[in-house]
Amino acid sequence: MLRDAVDLLEKLVEGAGALIVFIGALWAFTQFLTAGVRDRGQVRDFTRIRLSLGRFLALGLEFQLAGDVLRTAIAPSWTQIGQLAAIATIRTALNYFLSREIAEERAQVQQAQAKHMRDVPDLSDPTSAA
C-alpha cells in the first residue's frame, strides 16, 4: 500500500513538473508572438521572455528531480540508486547552467536599464533642461 501511495505521489510530482515546463513554454511562445506583432517583427523583449522561460524550466527540473527521488524512496536497488545518481547529476548540471545563464541575462538587462536611465533627461529637474 505504501509503495502504491509513493508511486501516485511520484506521478503527481512529475506531472506537475511537466505541466510547469509546458505552461512556461506556452507563456513564452505567446509573449514572443505578442511582442513580434507589437514591435512589427523586431522582438525587443526577447531577453525578458528568455529569462521567464528559464525560470519555468528551472522550476520544472526541480519537480522532475523530486519525482526521481520519490521513485527510489522505498527499498531501492543498487541499479535504481545508480540511475538516480546519474539523473540527479544531469538535472543538477542543467539547472546550474540554466541558473547561471539567467543571472548573466538579468545582469545585462539591469545594465541596459541603468544606461537607459542615465541617457534619459529628468524633465522634472529644471537644471537638466538644456
Side-chain angles (χ1 to χ4, degrees), residues 2-123:
L2 180 60
R3 186 175 301 273
D4 291 338
V6 171
D7 286 343
L8 176 63
L9 290 173
E10 171 202 343
K11 301 247 184 295
L12 290 173
V13 170
E14 285 185 346
L19 186 62
I20 290 168
V21 170
F22 176 76
I23 290 170
L26 186 62
W27 180 88
F29 182 69
T30 58
Q31 291 296 310
F32 179 77
L33 288 179
T34 302
V37 169
R38 183 185 63 229
D39 297 338
R40 301 202 194 303
Q42 297 180 2
V43 181
R44 295 187 189 111
D45 293 334
F46 184 70
T47 302
R48 182 184 56 79
I49 295 167
R50 282 188 68 222
L51 284 171
S52 295
L53 177 59
R55 286 191 288 269
F56 276 102
L57 292 174
L59 182 60
L61 280 171
E62 293 293 336
F63 272 84
Q64 293 294 319
L65 182 58
D68 293 332
V69 170
L70 280 171
R71 185 178 306 121
T72 59
I74 299 177
S77 67
W78 284 107
T79 302
Q80 289 175 319
I81 292 172
Q83 289 172 344
L84 176 62
I87 290 169
T89 301
I90 292 167
R91 289 194 176 158
T92 301
L94 283 171
N95 212 358
Y96 169 77
F97 288 112
L98 187 57
S99 296
R100 200 169 90 181
E101 185 174 341
I102 289 170
E104 289 171 5
E105 292 276 343
R106 185 177 291 138
Q108 289 176 358
V109 167
Q110 289 173 345
Q111 287 175 348
Q113 287 174 342
K115 182 184 181 307
H116 176 72
M117 293 306 291
R118 285 192 307 267
D119 294 344
V120 175
D122 184 5
L123 299 178

